[in-house]
Amino acid sequence: MPEQARRHHVVSKFYLRYFADERERVATVMLPGDRTFTQNIANASVQTNFYTVIDNDGHESGLAEQALSQIETLAADAWRELAAGVWPLPEEHRVAMAAWLALQLLRGGGVRNSMSEIATHALLLETIIGGRRRVREALAASGEPADDDTVDREWVDLFKNPLRARVHANHHVRHLAQLLPRVTQSLLDRSWMLTVFQRKALATSDHPVFVVPNADATRMGMGTGVENATVLHAPLTRRHSLAMYLPSAVPPEISPHGRDVRVAGVAAVALYSNSCTVNSARRFLFHHPEDTPLTGFDLPHPRDREVAVTAQLWGWIPEDDRQVLLDAGFGPEDLDTLLE
């Protein structure tokens, strides 16, 4: 049996090649931009055992990574067509490109972190709803002391040292497999606008596909996902960017020209493309070593949190339970910090 691969590319090597020089090196910018270095694409965006799952026999398995590599192989053919000037893409290559772009929306550390954070928030919400009554019941059921002092101490500890969920690769891969067909179809149903730049250069990131916030949803206090995003944006090479529009939102100046169109790029569009890339990055940006696509950008700090809860949960805690927390020095601001 061949040795199992341990070094997993979260961003595909074939894709990074389109941002690399002839020696297959990319400039890597670590957010917030205080460190930049050049590395081979074989080492860029690599995480050890990121997709290693545990099989039904309890053994480590590389089958998930192998399945992802099959999607990458088909996508690489689509990128070769694109680089050769083919547009619109033949249907088989369009499907392969859509599948890879959907994969990038689902495969990265941002998705796994968001799953962990949602599960952690659910545990905290269960604590809030259960209150000290649930703590007392749990202590009694396990044969532990359930006097008032013990209950209060355990109750406070659930907030000062909250339970943290950590999503395993198995859960992430299962989530990915369930959603990939739907997300792929959502991208295929959109109108694609390819912008080609002759002089301006593009960067990419460790999360190459950016879900542009839906302005209407934002005004209503709602989030933006793949299906309600007016447009999704991705740099395909250092000279090509792709915008995927809802059919109802295609810019009127290009709508008469068919489902997938190609337009010439200008400086303002390159600037917008690179701003999307910056906003989508979690820890790393990548670009050709001879390019300077990030000049003028105020780069953000690495993104440590994916999910923020805006509900005022402090008011959900019964008054007596809140008072115990306040007496222990834990207040509403501290709860808000847990949910940021």
Side-chain angles (χ1 to χ4, degrees), residues 19 51 62-63 99 104 127 146 156 165 178 223 279 281 290 299 310 328 334 338:
F19 297 85
Y51 301 112
L63 288 178
Q104 293 308 127
T127 298
V156 170
Q178 290 171 344
N279 288 329
E290 296 178 3
L299 300 182
T310 57
D334 301 300
L338 293 180

Short mmCIF file of all heavy atoms in Angstrom, two decimals, residues 19 51 62-63 99 104 127 146 156 165 178 223 279 281 290 299 310 328 334 338:
data_model
loop_
_atom_site.label_atom_id
_atom_site.label_comp_id
_atom_site.label_asym_id
_atom_site.label_seq_id
_atom_site.Cartn_x
_atom_site.Cartn_y
_atom_site.Cartn_z
N PHE A 19 -0.18 31.93 -10.50
CA PHE A 19 0.28 33.15 -9.83
C PHE A 19 1.78 33.08 -9.55
O PHE A 19 2.32 33.94 -8.87
CB PHE A 19 -0.48 33.35 -8.52
CG PHE A 19 -1.96 33.54 -8.71
CD1 PHE A 19 -2.80 32.46 -8.82
CD2 PHE A 19 -2.50 34.82 -8.82
CE1 PHE A 19 -4.17 32.63 -9.01
CE2 PHE A 19 -3.85 35.00 -9.02
CZ PHE A 19 -4.70 33.90 -9.12
N TYR A 51 -7.02 16.90 5.87
CA TYR A 51 -8.16 16.11 5.38
C TYR A 51 -8.04 14.63 5.76
O TYR A 51 -8.76 13.80 5.22
CB TYR A 51 -8.29 16.23 3.86
CG TYR A 51 -8.47 17.64 3.39
CD1 TYR A 51 -7.47 18.28 2.66
CD2 TYR A 51 -9.63 18.36 3.68
CE1 TYR A 51 -7.62 19.59 2.22
CE2 TYR A 51 -9.78 19.67 3.25
CZ TYR A 51 -8.78 20.28 2.53
OH TYR A 51 -8.93 21.57 2.11
N GLY A 62 -6.61 8.44 3.92
CA GLY A 62 -6.38 9.56 3.01
C GLY A 62 -7.36 9.60 1.86
O GLY A 62 -7.15 10.30 0.89
N LEU A 63 -8.48 8.87 1.98
CA LEU A 63 -9.44 8.79 0.88
C LEU A 63 -10.05 10.15 0.56
O LEU A 63 -10.35 10.45 -0.59
CB LEU A 63 -10.54 7.78 1.21
CG LEU A 63 -10.12 6.31 1.18
CD1 LEU A 63 -11.29 5.42 1.58
CD2 LEU A 63 -9.62 5.93 -0.22
N ALA A 99 -17.10 23.22 -9.93
CA ALA A 99 -16.89 22.28 -8.82
C ALA A 99 -15.68 22.68 -7.99
O ALA A 99 -15.71 22.60 -6.76
CB ALA A 99 -16.72 20.86 -9.37
N GLN A 104 -13.58 25.33 -3.04
CA GLN A 104 -12.84 26.35 -2.29
C GLN A 104 -13.72 27.07 -1.28
O GLN A 104 -13.25 27.56 -0.26
CB GLN A 104 -12.21 27.36 -3.24
CG GLN A 104 -11.11 26.77 -4.12
CD GLN A 104 -10.05 26.02 -3.32
OE1 GLN A 104 -9.75 24.87 -3.60
NE2 GLN A 104 -9.51 26.66 -2.31
N THR A 127 -26.24 26.03 27.85
CA THR A 127 -25.93 26.38 29.24
C THR A 127 -26.85 27.48 29.73
O THR A 127 -27.40 27.41 30.84
CB THR A 127 -24.46 26.83 29.35
OG1 THR A 127 -23.59 25.75 28.96
CG2 THR A 127 -24.13 27.26 30.77
N ALA A 146 -24.50 18.44 45.13
CA ALA A 146 -25.35 19.39 44.41
C ALA A 146 -25.85 20.49 45.34
O ALA A 146 -26.95 21.02 45.16
CB ALA A 146 -26.50 18.67 43.74
N VAL A 156 -20.69 29.26 37.36
CA VAL A 156 -19.77 30.34 36.98
C VAL A 156 -18.65 29.80 36.10
O VAL A 156 -18.24 30.44 35.11
CB VAL A 156 -19.19 31.02 38.24
CG1 VAL A 156 -18.05 31.98 37.86
CG2 VAL A 156 -20.29 31.76 39.00
N ALA A 165 -16.00 23.52 21.34
CA ALA A 165 -16.14 22.42 20.39
C ALA A 165 -15.03 22.51 19.34
O ALA A 165 -14.65 23.61 18.92
CB ALA A 165 -17.50 22.47 19.71
N GLN A 178 -21.70 16.68 1.51
CA GLN A 178 -23.13 16.93 1.44
C GLN A 178 -23.47 18.19 0.66
O GLN A 178 -24.46 18.22 -0.09
CB GLN A 178 -23.70 17.02 2.86
CG GLN A 178 -23.71 15.70 3.61
CD GLN A 178 -24.09 15.87 5.08
OE1 GLN A 178 -24.07 16.97 5.62
NE2 GLN A 178 -24.44 14.76 5.73
N GLY A 223 -27.23 37.89 6.98
CA GLY A 223 -25.94 37.54 6.40
C GLY A 223 -26.07 37.21 4.93
O GLY A 223 -27.17 37.13 4.36
N ASN A 279 -10.17 40.92 1.36
CA ASN A 279 -11.27 40.71 2.30
C ASN A 279 -11.57 39.24 2.53
O ASN A 279 -12.12 38.87 3.57
CB ASN A 279 -12.53 41.41 1.79
CG ASN A 279 -12.45 42.92 1.91
OD1 ASN A 279 -11.80 43.43 2.82
ND2 ASN A 279 -13.06 43.64 0.98
N ALA A 281 -9.19 36.79 2.49
CA ALA A 281 -8.04 36.10 3.09
C ALA A 281 -8.23 35.88 4.58
O ALA A 281 -8.82 36.72 5.27
CB ALA A 281 -6.77 36.89 2.84
N GLU A 290 7.09 39.09 -9.11
CA GLU A 290 7.42 40.35 -9.77
C GLU A 290 6.27 41.35 -9.76
O GLU A 290 6.43 42.48 -10.22
CB GLU A 290 7.84 40.07 -11.22
CG GLU A 290 9.12 39.24 -11.33
CD GLU A 290 9.49 38.95 -12.77
OE1 GLU A 290 8.78 39.44 -13.67
OE2 GLU A 290 10.49 38.24 -12.99
N LEU A 299 -3.79 46.09 4.95
CA LEU A 299 -4.11 44.68 5.13
C LEU A 299 -4.62 44.41 6.55
O LEU A 299 -4.12 44.96 7.52
CB LEU A 299 -2.88 43.81 4.85
CG LEU A 299 -2.29 43.94 3.44
CD1 LEU A 299 -1.11 42.99 3.28
CD2 LEU A 299 -3.35 43.66 2.37
N THR A 310 -25.12 38.36 17.43
CA THR A 310 -25.53 39.71 17.80
C THR A 310 -26.69 39.73 18.78
O THR A 310 -27.03 40.79 19.30
CB THR A 310 -25.92 40.51 16.54
OG1 THR A 310 -26.97 39.82 15.85
CG2 THR A 310 -24.73 40.66 15.61
N ALA A 328 -19.65 36.93 40.84
CA ALA A 328 -18.35 36.30 40.56
C ALA A 328 -17.50 37.15 39.60
O ALA A 328 -16.42 36.71 39.19
CB ALA A 328 -18.56 34.90 39.99
N ASP A 334 -18.65 40.48 29.31
CA ASP A 334 -17.86 39.25 29.22
C ASP A 334 -18.58 38.21 28.35
O ASP A 334 -17.93 37.50 27.57
CB ASP A 334 -17.61 38.67 30.61
CG ASP A 334 -16.87 39.65 31.50
OD1 ASP A 334 -15.75 40.02 31.13
OD2 ASP A 334 -17.41 40.03 32.56
N LEU A 338 -17.45 36.41 24.58
CA LEU A 338 -17.47 34.99 24.21
C LEU A 338 -18.15 34.77 22.87
O LEU A 338 -17.86 33.79 22.17
CB LEU A 338 -18.21 34.18 25.28
CG LEU A 338 -17.56 34.06 26.67
CD1 LEU A 338 -18.45 33.21 27.58
CD2 LEU A 338 -16.16 33.44 26.55
#
